[in-house]
């Protein structure tokens, strides 16, 4: 059984139950046609990189080198300044990407070493292996603390910038309220139960069209019985 959002039901193209081969359970498959969507993306500088001495010195060197090379290339100082921002932006993205890749590689090396030492420690509880376990665990905890600090910093910045504006925070609250009031299924006057959004909308349209149709030849449809799915 698959549990999916009602909004995805119109995109389901196929659902099958496979054959039981060597176990007591059959495999099931669900095919969904996902529409192509593009999301806007904007890069933001991680302020913690500015505390990195290596990154800071490299950026200072790149800025000096840029102006030394391009100071006589254009006549307008504003053009030179605007172009410099794009160049340094690219340098910062490259530095941040390289730093992140380096940190992930270092973290993976600690995790791999920790798993290997734990296997050895199970068969040979040597004090030296115990010390190595503590060392690698401390290094892994440092990475976790850094990630927590960065997440907390972004959260503080977001609340500072958007707490009193009609922006992301308000949108999240409104989406939660909208999902709480979402009609997941409805029973039509003919007794048929609909759970696809387009069918639910058509049922409402037909009901209200008949309700406000004052033509004496038309017959008023009975009221709809709305049902919301409830979790047990």
């Amino acid at each position: 059984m698959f549990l999916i959002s009602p909004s995805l039901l119109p995109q389901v193209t196929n659902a099958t139950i496979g054959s039981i081969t060597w176990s007591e359970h059959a495999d099931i498959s669900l095919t969904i046609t996902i529409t192509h969507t593009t999301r806007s993306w904007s890069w933001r500088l991680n302020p913690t990189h500015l505390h990195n001495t290596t990154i800071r010195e490299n950026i200072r060197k790149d800025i000096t080198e840029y102006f030394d090379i391009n100071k006589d290339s254009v006549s307008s100082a504003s053009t030179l300044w605007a172009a410099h921002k794009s160049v340094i932006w690219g340098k910062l993205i490259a530095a941040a990407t390289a730093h992140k890749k380096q940190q992930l590689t270092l973290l993976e090396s600690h995790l791999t070493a920790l798993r290997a030492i734990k296997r050895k420690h199970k068969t040979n509880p040597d004090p030296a292996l115990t010390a190595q376990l503590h060392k690698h665990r401390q290094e892994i905890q440092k990475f976790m603390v850094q990630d927590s600090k960065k997440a907390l910093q972004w959260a503080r910045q977001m609340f500072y910038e958007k707490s009193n504006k009609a922006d992301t925070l308000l949108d999240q609250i409104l989406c939660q309220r909208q999902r709480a009031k979402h009609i997941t299924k409805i029973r039509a006057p003919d007794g048929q139960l609909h759970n696809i959004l387009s069918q639910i909308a058509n049922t409402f349209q037909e009901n209200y069209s008949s309700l406000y149709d004052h033509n004496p030849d038309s017959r008023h449809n009975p009221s709809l019985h709305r049902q919301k799915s409830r979790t047990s």
Side-chain angles (χ1 to χ4, degrees):
M1 181 179 65
F2 289 99
L3 300 177
I4 63 174
S5 173
S7 60
L8 294 177
L9 288 177
Q11 301 179 11
V12 176
T13 58
N14 187 25
T16 58
I17 300 177
S19 58
I20 299 176
T21 55
W22 56 274
S23 67
E24 297 180 354
H25 304 282
D27 60 297
I28 57 177
S29 63
L30 180 70
T31 305
I32 299 178
T33 302
I34 300 177
T35 56
H36 178 70
T37 57
T38 57
R39 297 182 59 184
S40 59
W41 177 83
S42 60
W43 180 83
R44 292 191 303 176
L45 173 65
N46 186 355
T48 58
H49 292 331
L50 299 179
H51 298 286
N52 189 312
T53 306
T54 303
I55 295 178
R56 190 170 62 249
E57 292 299 327
N58 289 337
I59 294 300
R60 182 181 288 110
K61 179 181 177 181
D62 292 332
I63 294 175
T64 304
E65 183 180 358
Y66 169 83
F67 284 105
D68 290 341
I69 295 175
N70 299 282
K71 60 182 179 180
D72 298 328
S73 60
V74 292
S75 58
S76 175
S78 60
T79 303
L80 182 65
W81 178 258
H84 126 271
K85 291 190 290 185
S86 300
V87 172
I88 300 305
W89 190 5
K91 295 289 185 180
L92 287 171
I93 293 176
T97 303
H99 179 74
K100 182 178 180 180
K101 185 177 181 180
Q102 180 183 5
Q103 294 296 311
L104 290 177
T105 302
L106 186 59
L107 176 60
E108 184 62 28
S109 64
H110 284 297
L111 291 173
T112 303
L114 181 63
R115 287 191 291 265
I117 295 174
K118 286 178 67 176
R119 288 193 295 266
K120 294 180 181 179
H121 189 266
K122 289 181 180 179
T123 58
N124 182 22
D126 186 71
L129 294 177
T130 304
Q132 293 181 16
L133 282 175
H134 291 315
K135 177 182 177 181
H136 288 290
R137 284 172 177 168
Q138 289 176 357
E139 294 297 330
I140 294 173
Q141 287 178 357
K142 289 181 181 179
F143 285 100
M144 297 176 63
V145 170
Q146 291 177 1
D147 290 340
S148 299
K149 287 183 178 179
K150 184 171 65 175
L152 182 60
Q153 185 176 6
W154 285 124
R156 288 178 176 175
Q157 179 179 347
M158 183 180 65
F159 276 100
Y160 176 78
E161 294 177 350
K162 303 179 180 181
S163 59
N164 59 344
K165 298 179 181 179
D167 210 305
T168 307
L169 299 179
L170 179 61
D171 179 67
Q172 293 176 354
I173 296 175
L174 294 178
C175 287
Q176 292 176 0
R177 293 183 179 179
Q178 185 177 6
R179 285 194 295 267
K181 299 179 180 179
H182 183 68
I183 299 175
T184 57
K185 56 185 176 180
I186 191 171
R187 189 175 299 279
D190 57 359
Q192 187 176 2
L193 190 65
H194 299 296
N195 54 9
I196 298 178
L197 295 180
S198 59
Q199 296 177 352
I200 294 175
N202 292 334
T203 304
F204 271 107
Q205 181 180 2
E206 293 174 359
N207 176 75
Y208 283 104
S209 297
S210 175
L211 180 63
Y212 291 100
D213 185 7
H214 299 289
N215 189 348
D217 296 333
S218 63
R219 186 176 62 181
H220 175 65
N221 287 331
S223 60
L224 297 176
H225 301 284
R226 186 179 66 180
Q227 296 183 354
K228 289 187 177 181
S229 61
R230 300 179 181 273
T231 57
S232 56

PDB file of all heavy atoms in Angstrom, residues 158-177:
ATOM      1  N   MET A 158      16.953  34.742   9.515  1.00  0.00           N
ATOM      2  CA  MET A 158      15.657  34.692   8.853  1.00  0.00           C
ATOM      3  C   MET A 158      14.579  35.352   9.708  1.00  0.00           C
ATOM      4  O   MET A 158      13.756  36.123   9.208  1.00  0.00           O
ATOM      5  CB  MET A 158      15.279  33.241   8.548  1.00  0.00           C
ATOM      6  CG  MET A 158      13.973  33.101   7.780  1.00  0.00           C
ATOM      7  SD  MET A 158      13.538  31.388   7.433  1.00  0.00           S
ATOM      8  CE  MET A 158      13.259  30.769   9.087  1.00  0.00           C
ATOM      9  N   PHE A 159      14.580  35.063  11.019  1.00  0.00           N
ATOM     10  CA  PHE A 159      13.586  35.675  11.891  1.00  0.00           C
ATOM     11  C   PHE A 159      13.803  37.181  12.001  1.00  0.00           C
ATOM     12  O   PHE A 159      12.845  37.944  12.117  1.00  0.00           O
ATOM     13  CB  PHE A 159      13.640  35.033  13.278  1.00  0.00           C
ATOM     14  CG  PHE A 159      12.853  33.761  13.381  1.00  0.00           C
ATOM     15  CD1 PHE A 159      13.487  32.536  13.316  1.00  0.00           C
ATOM     16  CD2 PHE A 159      11.474  33.782  13.526  1.00  0.00           C
ATOM     17  CE1 PHE A 159      12.772  31.355  13.401  1.00  0.00           C
ATOM     18  CE2 PHE A 159      10.746  32.613  13.613  1.00  0.00           C
ATOM     19  CZ  PHE A 159      11.397  31.395  13.550  1.00  0.00           C
ATOM     20  N   TYR A 160      15.049  37.618  11.963  1.00  0.00           N
ATOM     21  CA  TYR A 160      15.331  39.051  12.046  1.00  0.00           C
ATOM     22  C   TYR A 160      14.850  39.774  10.791  1.00  0.00           C
ATOM     23  O   TYR A 160      14.309  40.881  10.866  1.00  0.00           O
ATOM     24  CB  TYR A 160      16.830  39.274  12.239  1.00  0.00           C
ATOM     25  CG  TYR A 160      17.234  40.731  12.235  1.00  0.00           C
ATOM     26  CD1 TYR A 160      17.024  41.531  13.357  1.00  0.00           C
ATOM     27  CD2 TYR A 160      17.816  41.297  11.108  1.00  0.00           C
ATOM     28  CE1 TYR A 160      17.386  42.868  13.350  1.00  0.00           C
ATOM     29  CE2 TYR A 160      18.181  42.630  11.094  1.00  0.00           C
ATOM     30  CZ  TYR A 160      17.970  43.410  12.217  1.00  0.00           C
ATOM     31  OH  TYR A 160      18.328  44.735  12.200  1.00  0.00           O
ATOM     32  N   GLU A 161      15.024  39.144   9.628  1.00  0.00           N
ATOM     33  CA  GLU A 161      14.683  39.797   8.373  1.00  0.00           C
ATOM     34  C   GLU A 161      13.202  39.681   8.020  1.00  0.00           C
ATOM     35  O   GLU A 161      12.640  40.583   7.396  1.00  0.00           O
ATOM     36  CB  GLU A 161      15.517  39.203   7.233  1.00  0.00           C
ATOM     37  CG  GLU A 161      17.006  39.480   7.348  1.00  0.00           C
ATOM     38  CD  GLU A 161      17.790  38.812   6.235  1.00  0.00           C
ATOM     39  OE1 GLU A 161      17.186  37.995   5.503  1.00  0.00           O
ATOM     40  OE2 GLU A 161      18.996  39.102   6.102  1.00  0.00           O
ATOM     41  N   LYS A 162      12.553  38.556   8.418  1.00  0.00           N
ATOM     42  CA  LYS A 162      11.224  38.275   7.881  1.00  0.00           C
ATOM     43  C   LYS A 162      10.151  38.092   8.946  1.00  0.00           C
ATOM     44  O   LYS A 162       9.030  37.710   8.626  1.00  0.00           O
ATOM     45  CB  LYS A 162      11.277  37.006   7.022  1.00  0.00           C
ATOM     46  CG  LYS A 162      12.284  37.085   5.892  1.00  0.00           C
ATOM     47  CD  LYS A 162      12.311  35.808   5.080  1.00  0.00           C
ATOM     48  CE  LYS A 162      13.317  35.906   3.945  1.00  0.00           C
ATOM     49  NZ  LYS A 162      13.350  34.680   3.114  1.00  0.00           N
ATOM     50  N   SER A 163      10.473  38.348  10.205  1.00  0.00           N
ATOM     51  CA  SER A 163       9.490  38.075  11.256  1.00  0.00           C
ATOM     52  C   SER A 163       8.266  38.970  11.158  1.00  0.00           C
ATOM     53  O   SER A 163       7.152  38.557  11.481  1.00  0.00           O
ATOM     54  CB  SER A 163      10.147  38.237  12.628  1.00  0.00           C
ATOM     55  OG  SER A 163      10.655  39.557  12.775  1.00  0.00           O
ATOM     56  N   ASN A 164       8.434  40.214  10.722  1.00  0.00           N
ATOM     57  CA  ASN A 164       7.310  41.154  10.649  1.00  0.00           C
ATOM     58  C   ASN A 164       6.935  41.486   9.214  1.00  0.00           C
ATOM     59  O   ASN A 164       6.400  42.561   8.938  1.00  0.00           O
ATOM     60  CB  ASN A 164       7.654  42.440  11.398  1.00  0.00           C
ATOM     61  CG  ASN A 164       8.893  43.113  10.831  1.00  0.00           C
ATOM     62  OD1 ASN A 164       9.650  42.496  10.085  1.00  0.00           O
ATOM     63  ND2 ASN A 164       9.098  44.366  11.188  1.00  0.00           N
ATOM     64  N   LYS A 165       7.213  40.572   8.278  1.00  0.00           N
ATOM     65  CA  LYS A 165       6.910  40.809   6.872  1.00  0.00           C
ATOM     66  C   LYS A 165       6.059  39.667   6.329  1.00  0.00           C
ATOM     67  O   LYS A 165       6.069  38.563   6.862  1.00  0.00           O
ATOM     68  CB  LYS A 165       8.203  40.924   6.056  1.00  0.00           C
ATOM     69  CG  LYS A 165       9.092  42.091   6.458  1.00  0.00           C
ATOM     70  CD  LYS A 165      10.351  42.120   5.620  1.00  0.00           C
ATOM     71  CE  LYS A 165      11.267  43.265   6.032  1.00  0.00           C
ATOM     72  NZ  LYS A 165      12.517  43.283   5.239  1.00  0.00           N
ATOM     73  N   ALA A 166       5.326  39.977   5.262  1.00  0.00           N
ATOM     74  CA  ALA A 166       4.523  38.950   4.585  1.00  0.00           C
ATOM     75  C   ALA A 166       5.440  38.154   3.670  1.00  0.00           C
ATOM     76  O   ALA A 166       5.480  38.351   2.457  1.00  0.00           O
ATOM     77  CB  ALA A 166       3.394  39.597   3.801  1.00  0.00           C
ATOM     78  N   ASP A 167       6.186  37.241   4.271  1.00  0.00           N
ATOM     79  CA  ASP A 167       7.205  36.520   3.517  1.00  0.00           C
ATOM     80  C   ASP A 167       7.124  35.030   3.842  1.00  0.00           C
ATOM     81  O   ASP A 167       6.040  34.496   4.066  1.00  0.00           O
ATOM     82  CB  ASP A 167       8.589  37.086   3.850  1.00  0.00           C
ATOM     83  CG  ASP A 167       9.555  36.955   2.680  1.00  0.00           C
ATOM     84  OD1 ASP A 167       9.724  35.830   2.202  1.00  0.00           O
ATOM     85  OD2 ASP A 167      10.128  37.972   2.259  1.00  0.00           O
ATOM     86  N   THR A 168       8.272  34.382   3.925  1.00  0.00           N
ATOM     87  CA  THR A 168       8.324  32.923   4.041  1.00  0.00           C
ATOM     88  C   THR A 168       7.629  32.408   5.291  1.00  0.00           C
ATOM     89  O   THR A 168       6.894  31.415   5.247  1.00  0.00           O
ATOM     90  CB  THR A 168       9.791  32.468   4.038  1.00  0.00           C
ATOM     91  OG1 THR A 168      10.445  33.014   2.889  1.00  0.00           O
ATOM     92  CG2 THR A 168       9.875  30.950   3.984  1.00  0.00           C
ATOM     93  N   LEU A 169       7.854  33.057   6.429  1.00  0.00           N
ATOM     94  CA  LEU A 169       7.268  32.571   7.680  1.00  0.00           C
ATOM     95  C   LEU A 169       5.745  32.610   7.628  1.00  0.00           C
ATOM     96  O   LEU A 169       5.071  31.656   8.040  1.00  0.00           O
ATOM     97  CB  LEU A 169       7.788  33.408   8.851  1.00  0.00           C
ATOM     98  CG  LEU A 169       9.303  33.366   9.075  1.00  0.00           C
ATOM     99  CD1 LEU A 169       9.680  34.260  10.243  1.00  0.00           C
ATOM    100  CD2 LEU A 169       9.757  31.941   9.336  1.00  0.00           C
ATOM    101  N   LEU A 170       5.191  33.707   7.137  1.00  0.00           N
ATOM    102  CA  LEU A 170       3.738  33.801   7.016  1.00  0.00           C
ATOM    103  C   LEU A 170       3.210  32.778   6.019  1.00  0.00           C
ATOM    104  O   LEU A 170       2.152  32.175   6.233  1.00  0.00           O
ATOM    105  CB  LEU A 170       3.343  35.212   6.591  1.00  0.00           C
ATOM    106  CG  LEU A 170       1.843  35.462   6.390  1.00  0.00           C
ATOM    107  CD1 LEU A 170       1.076  35.217   7.686  1.00  0.00           C
ATOM    108  CD2 LEU A 170       1.605  36.877   5.882  1.00  0.00           C
ATOM    109  N   ASP A 171       3.947  32.562   4.939  1.00  0.00           N
ATOM    110  CA  ASP A 171       3.525  31.581   3.940  1.00  0.00           C
ATOM    111  C   ASP A 171       3.476  30.179   4.528  1.00  0.00           C
ATOM    112  O   ASP A 171       2.560  29.404   4.233  1.00  0.00           O
ATOM    113  CB  ASP A 171       4.482  31.630   2.746  1.00  0.00           C
ATOM    114  CG  ASP A 171       4.112  30.620   1.680  1.00  0.00           C
ATOM    115  OD1 ASP A 171       3.046  30.781   1.053  1.00  0.00           O
ATOM    116  OD2 ASP A 171       4.877  29.662   1.484  1.00  0.00           O
ATOM    117  N   GLN A 172       4.440  29.831   5.366  1.00  0.00           N
ATOM    118  CA  GLN A 172       4.441  28.511   5.990  1.00  0.00           C
ATOM    119  C   GLN A 172       3.239  28.326   6.910  1.00  0.00           C
ATOM    120  O   GLN A 172       2.605  27.267   6.929  1.00  0.00           O
ATOM    121  CB  GLN A 172       5.740  28.305   6.768  1.00  0.00           C
ATOM    122  CG  GLN A 172       6.978  28.212   5.893  1.00  0.00           C
ATOM    123  CD  GLN A 172       8.252  28.105   6.696  1.00  0.00           C
ATOM    124  OE1 GLN A 172       8.236  28.203   7.929  1.00  0.00           O
ATOM    125  NE2 GLN A 172       9.373  27.913   6.018  1.00  0.00           N
ATOM    126  N   ILE A 173       2.903  29.365   7.674  1.00  0.00           N
ATOM    127  CA  ILE A 173       1.748  29.269   8.570  1.00  0.00           C
ATOM    128  C   ILE A 173       0.456  29.126   7.775  1.00  0.00           C
ATOM    129  O   ILE A 173      -0.418  28.307   8.102  1.00  0.00           O
ATOM    130  CB  ILE A 173       1.695  30.503   9.489  1.00  0.00           C
ATOM    131  CG1 ILE A 173       2.922  30.539  10.403  1.00  0.00           C
ATOM    132  CG2 ILE A 173       0.418  30.497  10.318  1.00  0.00           C
ATOM    133  CD1 ILE A 173       3.002  31.781  11.259  1.00  0.00           C
ATOM    134  N   LEU A 174       0.324  29.908   6.698  1.00  0.00           N
ATOM    135  CA  LEU A 174      -0.885  29.832   5.884  1.00  0.00           C
ATOM    136  C   LEU A 174      -1.002  28.477   5.190  1.00  0.00           C
ATOM    137  O   LEU A 174      -2.110  27.941   5.054  1.00  0.00           O
ATOM    138  CB  LEU A 174      -0.883  30.956   4.850  1.00  0.00           C
ATOM    139  CG  LEU A 174      -0.989  32.379   5.413  1.00  0.00           C
ATOM    140  CD1 LEU A 174      -0.936  33.400   4.287  1.00  0.00           C
ATOM    141  CD2 LEU A 174      -2.267  32.551   6.221  1.00  0.00           C
ATOM    142  N   CYS A 175       0.125  27.920   4.762  1.00  0.00           N
ATOM    143  CA  CYS A 175       0.085  26.601   4.123  1.00  0.00           C
ATOM    144  C   CYS A 175      -0.353  25.526   5.108  1.00  0.00           C
ATOM    145  O   CYS A 175      -1.106  24.608   4.756  1.00  0.00           O
ATOM    146  CB  CYS A 175       1.454  26.264   3.542  1.00  0.00           C
ATOM    147  SG  CYS A 175       1.879  27.195   2.055  1.00  0.00           S
ATOM    148  N   GLN A 176       0.106  25.623   6.354  1.00  0.00           N
ATOM    149  CA  GLN A 176      -0.312  24.655   7.366  1.00  0.00           C
ATOM    150  C   GLN A 176      -1.812  24.751   7.629  1.00  0.00           C
ATOM    151  O   GLN A 176      -2.498  23.732   7.753  1.00  0.00           O
ATOM    152  CB  GLN A 176       0.475  24.887   8.652  1.00  0.00           C
ATOM    153  CG  GLN A 176       1.957  24.558   8.542  1.00  0.00           C
ATOM    154  CD  GLN A 176       2.713  24.886   9.812  1.00  0.00           C
ATOM    155  OE1 GLN A 176       2.129  25.368  10.789  1.00  0.00           O
ATOM    156  NE2 GLN A 176       4.016  24.644   9.806  1.00  0.00           N
ATOM    157  N   ARG A 177      -2.335  25.965   7.707  1.00  0.00           N
ATOM    158  CA  ARG A 177      -3.774  26.124   7.918  1.00  0.00           C
ATOM    159  C   ARG A 177      -4.567  25.626   6.718  1.00  0.00           C
ATOM    160  O   ARG A 177      -5.640  25.040   6.862  1.00  0.00           O
ATOM    161  CB  ARG A 177      -4.088  27.588   8.187  1.00  0.00           C
ATOM    162  CG  ARG A 177      -3.521  28.109   9.505  1.00  0.00           C
ATOM    163  CD  ARG A 177      -3.938  29.547   9.750  1.00  0.00           C
ATOM    164  NE  ARG A 177      -3.426  30.040  11.026  1.00  0.00           N
ATOM    165  CZ  ARG A 177      -3.634  31.272  11.485  1.00  0.00           C
ATOM    166  NH1 ARG A 177      -4.348  32.134  10.762  1.00  0.00           N
ATOM    167  NH2 ARG A 177      -3.134  31.647  12.645  1.00  0.00           N
TER     168      ARG A 177
END
